[in-house]
Amino acid sequence: MEYEADRWVQRLRDGVAPPRWGLIVAVVLLVVVGGGSLALEVPHLDWFTSGHRRLSFLLLPLVLLVWGVWIAVGSRSRGRSDRRTLARIRAHGPVRFHLPVEPVGDPAPTIWTVDGSGLHGWTPDSSEPVAHLAWDDVDHIDLVTEERRGQRVDVALRITRTDDGVLVLLPRTALGRPYTAGQVKLDVLMRVLRSLRRERAR
């Protein structure tokens, strides 16, 4: 499997969430810096200045505070959901790779597993996979690209089926985390899936 030496890829291979201490430190920093800056700026803010100028003073601390709260709440919720899903996956048998995703569509898997037969979509509420895609039905794996602010940006994985159907996945950065993968990690995940497909063909 390509990129198997990368620590975050190893965690996805083994079905392990990253340590929580890094997340806790990030959340505390965001909340303390954002909330502290707001508490310091609001009493000294000239409320007679224009609304645009007031907003510019408050926007960054407010964004940091909201971001910190969102990460804390989202990670707690996603962590509980992923732990339930992983317990069901482990009870079912070994897999080669775990791909956490944003739930899209119906039945909206939150984790896809990869093994010798293909990909299997799991939810926290089902003891069996709710979706299947056999390797024999996969034509190719590539990236979904969109134009944003005049630049082409990779935003998702696209698995094209032999019957011309398409499965679009929005991978998350790690198990137990709510945020989606950026361009670099999307490219790595695409190459990992391609290598697992090649391994199956040997």
Side-chain angles (χ1 to χ4, degrees):
M1 183 174 73
E2 285 193 35
Y3 294 95
E4 198 163 10
D6 287 8
R7 188 72 188 101
W8 74 276
V9 174
Q10 292 174 9
R11 290 191 182 110
L12 292 176
R13 178 198 64 195
D14 299 336
V16 176
R20 292 184 60 83
W21 64 265
L23 177 69
I24 292 169
V25 169
V27 167
V28 168
L29 283 175
L30 287 170
V31 170
V32 167
V33 171
S37 298
L38 273 178
L40 290 173
E41 287 185 18
V42 168
H44 303 290
L45 195 61
D46 184 358
W47 293 97
F48 295 101
T49 59
S50 70
H52 178 73
R53 187 180 175 112
R54 283 199 307 271
L55 184 61
S56 65
F57 277 110
L58 297 174
L59 191 56
L60 180 59
L62 190 58
V63 167
L64 292 175
L65 180 60
V66 170
W67 193 18
V69 172
W70 175 79
I71 290 174
V73 173
S75 296
R76 184 167 183 258
S77 172
R78 185 60 68 200
R80 285 193 328 219
S81 170
D82 282 356
R83 283 192 296 274
R84 289 203 317 271
T85 308
L86 286 168
R88 296 182 185 282
I89 291 169
R90 290 177 184 128
H92 202 265
V95 299
R96 289 284 287 121
F97 193 71
H98 303 76
L99 181 64
V101 296
E102 281 296 309
V104 176
D106 185 19
T110 56
I111 298 176
W112 284 82
T113 58
V114 183
D115 59 22
S117 64
L119 295 93
H120 313 279
W122 296 80
T123 67
D125 303 318
S126 177
S127 59
E128 297 289 330
V130 296
H132 300 274
L133 180 57
W135 285 128
D136 290 338
D137 296 329
V138 175
D139 185 44
H140 60 274
I141 303 168
D142 54 12
L143 298 171
V144 177
T145 304
E146 294 180 355
E147 186 167 336
R148 294 182 178 176
R149 297 179 183 175
Q151 294 186 335
R152 303 297 293 177
V153 179
D154 299 326
V155 295
L157 291 176
R158 176 174 51 222
I159 302 175
T160 306
R161 301 167 53 105
T162 54
D163 62 3
D164 292 330
V166 174
L167 172 65
V168 175
L169 302 176
L170 300 172
R172 290 181 279 128
T173 56
L175 291 160
R177 300 295 185 265
Y179 22 84
T180 54
Q183 291 193 85
V184 173
K185 289 191 174 182
L186 281 173
D187 184 69
V188 170
L189 290 170
M190 177 189 69
R191 294 172 187 276
V192 166
L193 291 181
R194 286 178 175 177
S195 69
L196 289 168
R197 185 183 178 211
R198 287 194 302 270
E199 284 180 15
R200 171 260 181 192
R202 288 174 188 168

